[in-house]
Each structure stands twice: as structure tokens, then as C-alpha cells.
Amino acid sequence: MKEILYIQAGSQANYIGTHFWNTQESYFTYGDDEDPETCHSISFREGLNSKSEPTFCPRLLAFDHKSNFGTLSQANALFGMGDTANEQILWTEDPVEYKQEPVRKSRYQADMEELDLDYGDTSDAQLDDVRYWSDFNRLFYVPRTVQKIPDVPEWEDAEGNWTAGHETFTRFDEDTGLMEGPFRLFLEECETIQGIQIIHDASTFGGFIDSFLTSLRDDFVKLPLLVWPLLSDAPLSNTADDRRGTRKAINDALVLRSLSELSSMNIPIQSSTTWADEVCTNTYMHASKAHVYHTSAILSAHIETVTLPLRLYNAKEDIQSFVGQLSWRTALPFTELSGAFPHAGTIELDRGVYSFSSAASGPWHPIHFGRRDVTRGFSRSGITSYNEWINRSGIDDSLISSTHAAAYPLPTSFPNFFGTAMPQNGPSGILSRPRSTSVFSSIGASSETADLFSRYATFLEDCARRKISVERAGIDVDEMGDMANDMWTFHDNAGGGTDGNSDEDVRGEDED
């Protein structure tokens, strides 16, 4: 058994994680004769609830500010119904109680209690009803999964505040015993842990995760870490009146530099504000690029798909071998996520693949140093077309490995943003929301990663030249030049200049 511990930190990360875990729950067969597709014990911990009944719950630490949890609490139907135990009030006078009105259940949560959302019934809950990431959650969690970070005061801005993130972790660890309590308990439950998968919002939890990983590495130097930093929406440009955007961009750069030292492999994800419109609106679906409920569903589909080989029953891969395949020709622990969702059989991979790390769409022809592809729900002819596409690309076969798996399941919690052109998987003759779809997802170490670092390097050089100082950004003006040099080093290690474009010329112009 090679278990994975999962970490989610931040609102967007938990939106993605909620979709991810709802999908994992859909793999449970519940006594059917059919063999399970995935090994549940890799991602789920088996334990007992308060009534000594067996349970399967995610092996997860979910961090977010308290106000973002919605109705989710440490207590639930499996582990106690009250959020806090009734306490005896030690007060001689008549107390006056002020209680905050509880968060009302979402429509989907109410439908889950009243309808059978697994066998034919559907919920009308959609975008307007989703206020928190817990509004479409389908699972129970052990109490230590829920890690509520104190809310940021109204007069402070948490985005891009690298210094505050470190301070928050220190206080939270001291108050809750996080590292020696919940974190270590999850690790000790594992027989042979293969590593940790982390997804976090860089703008609000960048400094927090940096401190978390620094503390983790004190005791677990070689533990494989697969990290998905969700970059901010800050454009890489400097304007005198946009200090907030500048601070977020500097924070992103600090996150990338930190992860280069602490993590085994990192897959940066660009903000959905940078995505091409066709990623969300195409022949098969009409998703809202402005709502995290929709964009997180798309990202989760790709993250869940491309990491599927780590969770397959009798899987031969683990995080260490996964990382090794992608990094054996490059010294830089950064790769890119790309894919096509949904892949309904007629989208040509030459044009339909989108990079979520570089925010670039096809034609997709980077120079690859290693790549891991996963297809879901491809027909025989679809797999043949995929193989022909690989042959046309001219990539050395030794650099690519592929997994072809069953279609990606779509639980009822998944947004119903598919159009009528989407192939239906419901009963014959009945128009219903699809129950699964085809997906192509890929992680690759390629020359496109170099462009990401060259843009941050140029941005930091401009900040240093203009002596732009941003409060609590975690770096002085005098240090920006050094960090720009670090970004250029990452650029070179990622194959910058190998594609024949103007990488070296751009750097030369910046240095003149």
C-alpha cells in the first residue's frame, strides 16, 4: 500500500479539492462484483466513527479562513453532531447570549438529504446557489481534516502578504499543534506513504505553505512532494497605482522560488482570468470563466485525470517514479499541465489542447524533456488517433508514457454546463446530464516553462530598476535584483533558448 496525504489551502484550492474528492467517491463500488478502478486506501483512511463503525474518509488536511468553510465543521453525522459541546456557564448572574445565525444549507446539500442523487435523481442547484466550496461537498471528513484559519481583519489584505502568511502559520501551529498533531497522525496511519500532494492558493496561502513545508522538511527531508501552486490574477506589469497587483506578482515569484527548494515537482496553474475563452465556452459546454465553481471543476478534471496512475488498483507508479520520469533531463522541478476537456472524439489534439501553466492554446508544439499523458474514455479509434498524433509530433518515444483509462465520471455535484451537442451517457432515449466524459490531460517538462520564468525575471528587474517597494511583500527592493537572477537561472534550467525563439535576445535587451 502506497498512501498519499493531501493538503488543500485556500478557497480556490478547496473548490478544486471538493470536485476531486466527489470524483474519488464515485469510484466506490459498495459491494458490487465489479473490481474497483482505483485503490481506495491510497487516498482514503479507514477508521472508526464515534459509534465504532468503519468509515472511509479522505486523508486530507484542508486549510482555509474560517468564513470560507460554510456549513462544513469538524463535527458531522459520523463524528458527532454538535460543532462544540454544550459548556456549563460558570457565571452567577443571568447571562446574555449572542449567537451568530448559522449558515444555511445549500440547495444541493438539501437535495442530497431528500433525494437519491446517485441513482437517477438530479439537483437543480447550479452556479447562483454555490456560495462556499462546501456547498457541493458529498463526503464526510475526520475532524482533524478541517483546519480553520482565523479570518483576516477587514482592514487588512491577505492577498500577496508573504510576511503575514508566515506569521499566521507560526501562530496556528503554536495554538493547535498542527505539525505534531493532525499532520503527524495522518503520516503515522500510513503503512508506506508514497508522498504528499499539495494544492494551494499562492496569493493567500503562499507564505503559509512555505512555512509549512519548511517545518515538514526538518523531519522528512526526502518525502516526495507534488505541489500545484495556483498563481494569482496579477498581471506581470508595473503601474504606480497598482501596488496591490505588484505585491501579488512578487508573492507569486516568491512562491515559485520557495517551491524550487522545498518540493519534488511543481505544476504552476495560471489564473482563470488568463484562460482563452474557448476553454470554457465551446461546442460541448458553456461554463462561466468568472465563477470558481465552474473553473475549479475543469481544473479538477485535469488534475484528477493526470494523477490517476498514482491511484490505480495495483498501480506500478508512485509520486517518486512519476517525478523521476519528468525530471530526468532537467534540473528544474517544474512542469506544465495541459489538456482538453471534454474530449468528445472530434476535437483534434493539435488544436484542442490548452496549457493551464503557460496560458497558451494550440497549435501545441513545445520542446519536451519528459511527458506523462492520460486519456479517459477514448474509443479504440480515439486511441489510434492519439498514437498517430504522437508520431506526428516527432517526440522521442522514451520521453512519453501514456495511460488509457475509463471515462471521467461526472457526479451530480459537477456543474451541469454541458450543451446539447455533448454525447449523452444516460438511458437510451432519455435526455439527461452526461454521467461521464472523455478527457485528455498531460503533465510535461518542456521549453514553455522557460517563458514563465523569463516573464517573472523581467518583471522583477523592472521593479528593482524603478525601486518599487511594497509593504509586507517579503522582499526588499535591493533583493529584487537577486530574485530576478534566480528567475533567469530557472529560465535557463528549463531549456530557455532551446526553441530558437528570442529568449536570449529578450534577456539581453532587459540587461542593457
Side-chain angles (χ1 to χ4, degrees):
M1 187 187 310
K2 292 186 176 182
E3 302 92 342
I4 300 175
L5 172 60
Y6 296 83
I7 308 292
Q8 295 161 197
S11 181
Q12 185 184 6
N14 280 295
Y15 265 93
I16 294 172
T18 301
H19 285 299
F20 177 90
W21 290 108
N22 289 348
T23 302
Q24 301 313 299
E25 190 236 10
S26 69
Y27 294 131
F28 279 85
T29 55
Y30 296 105
D32 294 346
D33 294 333
E34 182 181 348
D35 291 333
E37 182 177 6
T38 62
C39 179
H40 307 316
S41 58
I42 290 178
S43 298
F44 289 80
R45 62 174 296 279
E46 185 174 6
L48 300 174
N49 64 10
S50 57
K51 298 180 181 179
S52 298
E53 299 169 333
T55 61
F56 265 99
C57 297
R59 189 177 295 106
L60 166 69
L61 286 171
F63 299 94
D64 206 347
H65 292 111
K66 185 176 181 181
S67 59
N68 292 335
F69 277 85
T71 58
L72 185 64
S73 68
Q74 291 184 320
N76 54 54
L78 291 182
F79 300 99
M81 297 300 296
D83 221 354
T84 57
N86 291 328
E87 299 179 355
Q88 181 180 4
I89 301 176
L90 302 178
W91 190 254
T92 57
E93 303 295 332
D94 293 333
V96 178
E97 295 186 25
Y98 295 91
K99 292 185 177 181
Q100 185 177 11
E101 184 178 351
V103 178
R104 65 175 176 82
K105 291 183 179 179
S106 68
R107 186 172 180 180
Y108 182 79
Q109 294 286 340
D111 287 347
M112 279 187 63
E113 295 181 357
E114 298 175 6
L115 304 173
D116 189 347
L117 295 184
D118 288 317
Y119 298 95
D121 288 335
T122 60
S123 172
D124 293 329
Q126 275 301 302
L127 187 151
D128 292 339
D129 188 60
V130 175
R131 308 149 299 166
Y132 309 98
W133 48 265
S134 61
D135 282 345
F136 56 97
N137 169 58
R138 295 181 55 86
L139 285 79
F140 292 114
Y141 300 95
V142 295
R144 66 175 178 268
T145 283
V146 179
Q147 299 291 327
K148 295 186 177 182
I149 307 298
D151 288 327
V152 178
E154 295 181 358
W155 59 86
E156 292 186 10
D157 186 359
E159 289 196 290
N161 199 329
W162 181 260
T163 304
H166 286 86
E167 295 171 352
T168 298
F169 173 82
T170 300
R171 290 195 303 268
F172 189 76
D173 187 34
E174 290 175 351
D175 293 343
T176 65
L178 169 67
M179 300 307 291
E180 293 302 319
F183 174 71
R184 190 170 291 275
L185 283 173
F186 271 123
L187 293 185
E188 290 176 349
E189 290 174 346
C190 300
E191 292 182 7
T192 311
I193 187 168
Q194 62 169 287
I196 301 178
Q197 178 170 303
I198 303 168
I199 181 169
H200 71 286
D201 296 9
S203 63
T204 53
F205 278 84
F208 185 96
I209 290 297
D210 175 60
S211 290
F212 177 88
L213 295 184
T214 300
S215 178
L216 181 157
R217 283 303 189 203
D218 288 341
D219 295 324
F220 305 95
V221 178
K222 296 183 179 181
L223 185 64
L225 304 179
L226 186 65
V227 183
W228 306 78
L230 307 174
L231 302 178
S232 73
D233 57 358
L236 291 181
S237 60
N238 288 315
T239 57
D241 58 347
D242 187 19
R243 294 301 177 95
R244 183 170 181 265
T246 299
R247 188 175 73 176
K248 289 196 293 183
I250 293 173
N251 181 82
D252 286 346
L254 287 167
V255 167
L256 296 175
R257 186 173 68 172
S258 163
L259 293 177
S260 71
E261 301 173 351
L262 295 171
S263 175
S264 309
M265 183 60 68
N266 309 286
I267 308 95
I269 303 297
Q270 295 284 348
S271 167
S272 61
T273 59
T274 67
W275 295 3
D277 291 339
E278 57 265 25
V279 175
C280 294
T281 304
N282 52 53
T283 304
Y284 304 105
M285 68 179 186
H286 302 279
S288 170
K289 196 168 73 169
H291 202 294
V292 66
Y293 173 51
H294 283 191
T295 57
S296 62
I298 297 171
L299 281 174
S300 179
H302 286 296
I303 293 174
E304 198 280 335
T305 292
V306 83
T307 58
L308 179 67
L310 303 176
R311 302 183 303 275
L312 290 175
Y313 206 77
N314 295 325
K316 298 180 180 180
E317 294 185 69
D318 57 21
I319 292 179
Q320 185 172 2
S321 63
F322 191 81
V323 168
Q325 179 197 342
L326 295 170
S327 61
W328 71 279
R329 291 191 62 180
T330 176
L332 192 69
F334 287 92
T335 53
E336 294 198 346
L337 173 69
S338 303
F341 173 87
H343 183 284
T346 58
I347 300 176
E348 295 183 18
L349 290 172
D350 283 320
R351 297 179 297 172
V353 175
Y354 182 82
S355 173
F356 293 91
S357 296
S358 64
S361 56
W364 191 50
H365 299 296
I367 297 176
H368 286 283
F369 310 115
R371 206 172 91 194
R372 189 70 178 81
D373 294 350
V374 179
T375 68
R376 305 289 300 271
F378 277 33
S379 62
R380 290 185 178 180
S381 61
I383 294 176
T384 299
S385 297
Y386 163 80
N387 291 330
E388 293 173 348
W389 174 61
I390 294 296
N391 292 333
R392 289 196 306 272
S393 69
I395 304 175
D396 189 334
D397 291 342
S398 65
L399 300 179
I400 299 181
S401 62
S402 308
T403 296
H404 305 293
Y408 176 77
L410 298 172
T412 54
S413 57
F414 203 87
N416 191 15
F417 48 39
F418 298 104
T420 56
M422 186 69 183
Q424 300 295 315
N425 293 329
S428 177
I430 299 178
L431 183 63
S432 61
R433 60 179 291 157
R435 296 179 181 176
S436 63
T437 187
S438 299
V439 184
F440 168 75
S441 299
S442 175
I443 288 183
S446 77
S447 57
E448 285 191 355
T449 306
D451 179 65
L452 173 69
F453 294 113
S454 68
R455 286 185 282 126
Y456 277 104
T458 302
F459 162 78
L460 290 166
E461 286 176 337
D462 189 40
C463 287
R465 183 170 55 250
R466 298 170 60 184
K467 298 188 181 301
I468 295 178
S469 177
V470 182
E471 184 181 1
R472 296 178 72 80
I475 186 172
D476 297 331
V477 173
D478 295 338
E479 298 174 308
M480 288 186 186
D482 293 336
M483 190 159 73
N485 290 334
D486 291 339
M487 294 294 113
W488 282 124
T489 300
F490 295 165
H491 164 271
D492 296 340
N493 290 339
T498 61
D499 57 1
N501 292 331
S502 57
D503 286 329
E504 293 182 357
D505 294 338
V506 169
R507 183 174 181 179
E509 291 173 1
D510 291 334
E511 292 175 343
D512 288 339

